């Protein structure tokens, strides 16, 4: 709480805030709301939350009002019963857990910025995109199919939207004159190959 206050006082941006669950997300947003009474420009600073281990619809709506961006880790879905979505299933039941773990579709539809986060070396970037597109865990089980996003949205979550997350949208993130760019040469067409093969 003190860190949130100091950031608010000194005009800083909090990014990469590690939030492991819905209670800690509520606590962080409580602190932001308290500071926003004195510093109403906090929403313009684009503060950011990491992980999205479980985020409910009411929290997404609340986050939008606070100007929060989310960086979501597909590993919490990919690990299935033995990971984040499995733990959430114990607390909330399978349907709620499936729709609340990395809820990309709900965030995008509600206008909340979201990007794909990789915080472990074992998960390849294209595997992460496959997970948010087909919502399958490592066993092939589908969790929360209503939260699936398109290939184009997954690509934006790694490029255009990620450039906004790091406050560099004028320098990187899209192919435009005078912007920096990295090029990747692929052996297959990301937009047409079967969804379950994107990670390959």
């Amino acid at each position: 709480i003190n860190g949130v206050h100091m950031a608010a006082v000194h005009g800083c941006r909090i990014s990469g805030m590690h939030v492991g669950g819905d209670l800690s997300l509520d606590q962080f947003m409580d602190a932001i709301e308290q500071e926003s009474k004195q510093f109403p420009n906090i929403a313009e600073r684009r503060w950011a939350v990491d992980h999205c281990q479980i985020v409910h619809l009411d929290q997404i709506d609340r986050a939008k009002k606070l100007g929060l961006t989310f960086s979501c880790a597909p590993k919490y879905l990919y690990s299935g019963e033995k990971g984040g979505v499995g733990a959430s299933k114990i607390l909330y039941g399978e349907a709620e857990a499936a729709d609340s773990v990395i809820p990309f579709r709900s965030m995008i539809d509600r206008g909340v910025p979201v990007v794909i986060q990789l915080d472990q070396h074992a998960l390849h970037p294209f595997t992460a995109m496959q997970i948010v597109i087909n919502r399958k865990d490592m066993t092939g089980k589908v969790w929360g199919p209503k939260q699936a996003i398109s290939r184009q949205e997954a690509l934006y979550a790694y490029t255009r939207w990620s450039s906004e997350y790091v406050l560099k949208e004028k320098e990187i993130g899209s192919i435009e004159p005078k912007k920096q760019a990295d090029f990747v040469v692929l052996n297959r067409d990301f937009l047409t190959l079967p969804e379950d093969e994107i990670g390959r």
Side-chain angles (χ1 to χ4, degrees), residues 76-147:
Y76 295 116
L77 184 75
Y78 192 60
S79 50
E81 297 282 355
K82 296 181 179 180
V85 73
S88 297
K89 174 184 171 182
I90 294 169
L91 293 172
Y92 299 104
E94 185 165 324
E96 175 69 13
D99 279 336
S100 298
V101 174
I102 62 164
F104 271 79
R105 178 83 275 139
S106 293
M107 290 179 175
I108 293 170
D109 288 349
R110 284 169 162 74
V112 173
V114 60
V115 302
I116 297 174
Q117 168 199 16
L118 287 180
D119 63 351
Q120 68 182 56
H121 296 294
L123 201 60
H124 189 277
F126 279 92
T127 305
M129 283 198 284
Q130 177 178 308
I131 296 163
V132 298
I133 291 166
N134 69 13
R135 300 288 297 184
K136 290 183 180 179
D137 68 17
M138 62 178 61
T139 70
K141 179 176 178 175
V142 176
W143 296 85
K146 293 185 295 185
Q147 295 300 332

Side-chain angles (χ1 to χ4, degrees), residues 17-29 49-60 63 68 70-77 83-104 106-107 117 135 143 147:
M17 173 59 78
H18 289 254
V19 174
D22 49 357
L23 177 59
S24 54
L25 177 57
D26 275 335
Q27 291 171 337
F28 181 49
M29 291 193 291
V49 176
D50 279 353
H51 301 317
C52 308
Q53 193 161 345
I54 186 157
V55 186
H56 304 288
L57 290 178
D58 62 312
Q59 293 177 309
I60 295 172
L68 287 180
F70 284 86
S71 169
C72 298
K75 70 177 185 180
Y76 295 116
L77 184 75
V85 73
S88 297
K89 174 184 171 182
I90 294 169
L91 293 172
Y92 299 104
E94 185 165 324
E96 175 69 13
D99 279 336
S100 298
V101 174
I102 62 164
F104 271 79
S106 293
M107 290 179 175
Q117 168 199 16
R135 300 288 297 184
W143 296 85
Q147 295 300 332

